[in-house]
Amino acid sequence: MRALIVIDIQNDFCPGGALAVTGGDAIVAQVNDMMAQFDAVVLTQDWHPAGHSSFASSHPGKAPFGTTEMPYGTQVLWPDHCVIGTDGAAFHPALNGDRADLVLRKGFRPGIDSYSAFFENDRKTPTGLEGYLRTRGIEDLTLVGLATDFCVNYSAVDAATLGFRVTVAQEACRAIDLDGSLSAALDGMRAAGVTLA
Ligand code: VGL
Ligand code: ZN
């Protein structure tokens, strides 16, 4: 059984959004077309309470794209984005949500960010997605979405480490690319056994 995991195709990650990824909206039609080829489709949704600890605005004197030390390690600080209930947190309007079996929200705990769809940024707290996929008999995952070097990367590496067969369809992803983060992410995914297609 094969699942398409669609990572964070939300307004705030598309042009005009709070944390816009270049060309983020250009992948939507292709992702919609891919959905028919899979047994299951899962959409993930970055979903932060106002004042989330990953927002630079929550750390006086800090600017977006800097870092801070959290109890679980170094955290990149982002512009306020994907705030629960806002239009920025909504899926891109052209994304076909009808085909989704599951919408998995992540990053809702005020004190922990969650790039990965499997584990929060403490790298320990599970989101529950592993259990969902395994209990449905799904072993093979294709990941698409935003952003290649953060949420797609962390999700792909975690999935491969958990023993899923993982492919990242690169042409249906777009990157933030902060200080070489894209090439580091591609190296890390290859090293984890992820197929980059
Ligand atoms: C993401 C930064 C902060 C992503 C989410 O979806 O890649 N990046 N929150
Ligand atoms: Zn986020």
Side-chain angles (χ1 to χ4, degrees):
M1 293 269 280
R2 300 170 61 238
L4 182 68
I5 313 290
V6 180
I7 304 288
D8 299 2
I9 304 188
Q10 295 166 256
N11 290 324
D12 269 342
F13 297 122
C14 291
L19 180 41
V21 179
T22 305
D25 55 343
I27 63 175
V28 174
Q30 186 179 358
V31 170
N32 287 342
D33 287 347
M34 290 173 78
M35 292 180 179
Q37 302 159 30
F38 291 84
D39 302 299
V41 175
V42 174
L43 306 183
T44 73
Q45 193 169 24
D46 210 40
W47 196 248
H48 300 309
H52 192 255
S53 57
S54 75
F55 297 168
S57 63
S58 302
H59 302 266
K62 298 273 190 176
F65 308 107
T67 61
T68 194
E69 293 309 314
M70 299 289 283
Y72 53 80
T74 303
Q75 168 71 48
V76 177
L77 293 172
W78 303 106
D80 291 22
H81 65 279
C82 297
V83 174
I84 292 173
T86 63
D87 187 57
F91 290 114
H92 186 286
L95 183 69
N96 179 13
D98 294 356
R99 188 54 185 85
D101 299 339
L102 176 73
V103 174
L104 182 105
R105 288 171 170 169
K106 61 184 181 61
F108 49 77
R109 281 180 229 283
I112 316 186
D113 203 2
S114 189
Y115 296 147
S116 167
F118 292 91
F119 295 101
E120 299 189 14
N121 282 13
D122 61 359
R123 317 308 296 129
K124 286 196 286 274
T125 306
T127 63
L129 182 58
E130 179 191 4
Y132 177 85
L133 296 171
R134 290 209 197 283
T135 52
R136 286 198 56 184
I138 294 163
E139 296 173 331
D140 192 298
L141 309 180
T142 295
L143 275 69
V144 295
L146 309 171
T148 320
D149 41 347
F150 286 92
C151 291
V152 174
N153 169 36
Y154 276 72
S155 299
V157 170
D158 280 352
T161 304
L162 288 168
F164 293 94
R165 264 192 313 280
V166 185
T167 301
V168 168
Q170 282 186 268
E171 75 284 2
C173 299
R174 291 293 184 277
I176 295 173
D177 204 11
L178 207 61
D179 291 330
S181 57
L182 177 58
S183 70
L186 296 175
D187 289 347
M189 287 192 279
R190 275 189 210 99
V194 172
T195 301
L196 299 175

